[in-house]
Structure formats: C-alpha cells, structure tokens
C-alpha cells in the first residue's frame, strides 16, 4: 500500500528583521544647510544688503547737501526738511570768487588728460611686451610688476625731490607727469593684447607695407579698445581721488584739485561752521564726473569683459 502523502504542518512564522530608521548623515545635513544659504532668496537678500550699504553714503550726501550749517550740526541730515540746495550752490560759487570751480577744472585737467595719456602709454607698453621679442623682456616686465607692489604714498617724497631738482614744484606738471605711468595698467594692457590681437592680423598689415607705428595705431589699438577704456577708468578714478601727491607738490590754492581744496575748507570748518555746507555740497558735485565716466564708458568696458570670458 502506498502511504498517504505527508502534509506540512504550519509552524510559527520566522520573525522578519526590522531595520532601524535611517538618520540623516552629517554630510547630507551640511549639504542641505549649504543649499539653503545659497538659495536665490538668500543670495538676493545678501546682494540687496550690500547695495544698501554701498548707496547709504551717497544718499546721506544728497540729503545733507540740502541743509544749512544748523541742519547739519543738528544731526538731521537724512531728511529734506529745510531744503536749501540752491542756496548752498550759490554760496559755493561765491566763496573765494569761485575758487571751487577752479579746483574743479584743475581736477578735470589732472584726471582727464592724465588718464588719457596714461592709458595710451600703458597700452603701447603692453602691446610691445606682447608683440615684440627683445633681450631681457620678461625680466623687464618683472620689474614693472614690482612697481605694482610699491604704494603710491611711498613715492611721494622721492617724486617731490625730483620735481624740486627740475624746478616744477607748485606747477601743473608736478601733479600731471607722475600720474602718466601705471604699472598695473601695463600688466592689464599686456593681458588684453595677448587675448585680443591675433598675430595673423599684424603680419598681414606688415606684408601690406604698414610700418610698426601704423600697425599699432590702426590695428592693435582698435582691437584693445575695451582694455584702453578699462585702464582709463581705473586711472581716472585714482587721479580724481588723489590727495597725497597734490598735498606734497602744491602750495598755491589756484592749482589745487577738488580733493585738496575740500580738505582745506574742512580744516576751516572747525572754526567757522558755515564751511560745512560748502564742503558737503562740493563733495556731492565732486562725485558727478566719476558717475558720468562710468555710465558713458560702461558699454566698452562690458564688451571687454565679455570678450575675455569667452576666449
């Protein structure tokens, strides 16, 4: 006889192991925290705070220029109560037979002519360092880079001694000539020439019979126009804000730039508070050329930055 089939007897079920809940790792938590801080809202908030911090002095200057001496000394400079900007401008024009606007013209001469000539010299030097090969080129360029490390204030006394030897102290030349050289401008111009001037264009011009000066003026200079504009803006701002060099070189008030003239007025304001509105209003007018220069030339400057980013 065939034995009956065996049936399995159901026993107790085997326990299923339960895995403990996964706790987030320290790295994942840090990554989420970092992404929260770098979110668009956080970045935009930080940028807005930076803009407010940057613009606050300008806002204070605009409102303070509408106050008289009493309003400024009362500490209520951030309101337009007692608006008297026209009166401050008229007093500014009348003070010292209009000496302020002579200072203004001097600053335009120093900054405008000095920045234009300096930018041209820097671009020419950068073009020469990039295009030509001559003995000791890299060592000479290293000496130029060493000039970037020397602060301009450290050169004021040697420049004064040189100007005294040549007899140009207390003249326009004593301030204008030293600002015609900018080592950082030469470095920046060489970088622009290396990235924007193809050697084939220069060789084609030389084959057509153009001289080296014509090649630089008609081809090289036009290709590095954004670099020329950048050097001009940097130097224009530096000369316009220059204070120590005119302080050392000049003693005639008719030759003062705006920065030195306002400093002299501020010294008088301690004994005569009526100079405070003149100093503040003059400072507001002194900012305008820098704003106009950047707004007017920003198209060329942005073009240069964009061109360098895609090469």
């Amino acid at each position: 006889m065939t034995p009956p089939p065996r049936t399995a007897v159901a026993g107790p079920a085997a326990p299923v192991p339960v895995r403990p809940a996964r706790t987030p790792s320290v790295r994942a938590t840090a990554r989420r925290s970092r992404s929260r801080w770098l979110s668009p809202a956080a970045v935009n908030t930080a940028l807005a705070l930076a803009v407010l911090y940057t613009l606050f002095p300008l806002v204070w200057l605009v409102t303070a220029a509408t106050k008289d001496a009493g309003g400024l000394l009362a500490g209520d400079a951030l309101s337009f109560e007692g608006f008297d900007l026209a009166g401050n401008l008229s007093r500014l024009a009348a003070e010292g037979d209009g000496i302020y606007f002579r200072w203004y013209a001097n600053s335009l001469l120093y900054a405008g002519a000095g920045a234009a000539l300096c930018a041209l010299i820097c671009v020419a030097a950068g073009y020469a360092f990039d295009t030509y090969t001559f003995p000791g080129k890299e060592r000479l360029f290293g000496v130029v880079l060493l000039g970037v490390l020397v602060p301009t204030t450290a050169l004021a006394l040697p420049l004064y001694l040189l100007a005294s030897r040549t007899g140009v102290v207390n003249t326009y030349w004593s301030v204008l000539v030293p600002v015609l050289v900018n080592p950082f401008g030469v470095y920046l111009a060489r970088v622009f020439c290396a990235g924007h001037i193809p050697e084939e264009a220069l060789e084609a011009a030389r084959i057509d019979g153009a001289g080296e000066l014509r090649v630089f003026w008609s081809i090289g200079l036009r290709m590095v126009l954004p670099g020329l504009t950048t050097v001009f803006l940097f130097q224009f701002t530096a000369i316009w804000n220059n204070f120590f060099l005119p302080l050392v070189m000049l003693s005639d008030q008719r030759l003062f730039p705006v920065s030195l003239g306002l400093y002299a007025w501020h010294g008088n304001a301690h004994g005569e508070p009526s100079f405070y509105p003149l100093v503040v209003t003059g400072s507001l007018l002194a900012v305008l050329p820098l704003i106009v220069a950047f707004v007017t030339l920003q198209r060329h400057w942005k073009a240069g930055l964009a061109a360098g980013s895609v090469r």
Side-chain angles (χ1 to χ4, degrees):
M1 295 179 61
T2 304
R6 295 181 178 180
T7 58
V9 179
V16 179
V18 179
R19 296 182 179 181
R22 295 179 108 185
T23 57
S25 62
V26 177
R27 185 176 301 178
T29 305
R31 189 182 301 114
R32 282 197 296 270
S33 176
R34 193 184 308 118
S35 62
R36 189 183 307 114
W37 282 106
L38 295 179
S39 64
V43 172
N44 292 334
T45 302
L47 291 177
L49 293 176
V51 170
L52 291 176
Y53 178 79
T54 305
L55 293 181
F56 179 78
L58 183 59
V59 173
W60 182 93
L61 192 61
V62 171
T63 56
T66 65
K67 301 290 183 181
D68 56 5
L72 288 175
L73 295 177
D76 190 23
L78 289 177
S79 68
F80 287 99
E81 184 179 355
F83 189 91
D84 193 25
L85 180 60
N88 288 338
L89 290 175
S90 63
R91 286 188 290 271
L92 184 69
E95 181 65 30
D97 295 331
I99 189 66
Y100 174 81
F101 292 101
R102 184 180 180 89
W103 297 339
Y104 211 89
N106 292 340
S107 290
L108 289 176
L109 174 64
Y110 295 142
L117 292 175
C118 177
L120 185 60
I121 292 173
C122 290
V123 170
Y127 173 85
F129 276 116
D130 177 64
T131 304
Y132 301 118
T133 301
F134 50 89
K137 180 178 78 170
E138 296 303 327
R139 292 183 179 179
L140 181 60
F141 188 68
V143 173
V144 173
L145 292 182
L146 287 178
V148 180
L149 305 178
V150 181
T152 55
T153 54
L155 300 176
L157 184 58
L159 289 174
Y160 174 79
L161 296 177
L162 290 174
S164 179
R165 284 290 186 89
T166 55
V168 296
V169 174
N170 203 29
T171 63
Y172 285 108
W173 299 109
S174 62
V175 178
L176 190 58
V177 172
V179 299
L180 298 181
V181 179
N182 185 0
F184 178 73
V186 176
Y187 165 75
L188 194 62
R190 183 179 184 181
V191 172
F192 266 94
C193 291
H196 291 74
I197 301 180
E199 186 65 28
E200 294 80 6
L202 303 181
E203 290 297 332
R206 295 188 183 105
I207 292 174
D208 289 340
E212 292 299 325
L213 185 61
R214 179 65 181 276
V215 171
F216 167 71
W217 186 262
S218 300
I219 298 178
L221 188 61
R222 297 177 185 272
M223 289 184 174
V224 294
L225 186 60
L228 179 72
T229 305
T230 303
V231 176
F232 174 83
L233 286 175
F234 283 161
Q235 192 67 359
F236 184 89
T237 305
I239 300 173
W240 187 269
N241 296 326
N242 195 4
F243 170 77
F244 196 67
L245 181 63
L247 178 65
V248 172
M249 294 291 186
L250 303 176
S251 58
D252 188 356
Q253 283 197 0
R254 294 174 300 175
L255 304 178
F256 282 3
V258 170
S259 58
L260 189 56
L262 292 177
Y263 172 77
W265 276 1
H266 186 267
N268 296 335
H270 295 290
E272 191 173 349
S274 60
F275 276 97
Y276 279 119
L278 301 182
V279 172
V280 174
T281 308
S283 301
L284 176 62
L285 295 182
V287 177
L288 297 181
L290 299 177
I291 298 176
V292 171
F294 273 87
V295 171
T296 305
L297 300 176
Q298 67 175 343
R299 179 170 60 88
H300 302 285
W301 195 21
K302 288 181 179 179
L305 295 177
S309 64
V310 298
R311 284 186 175 271

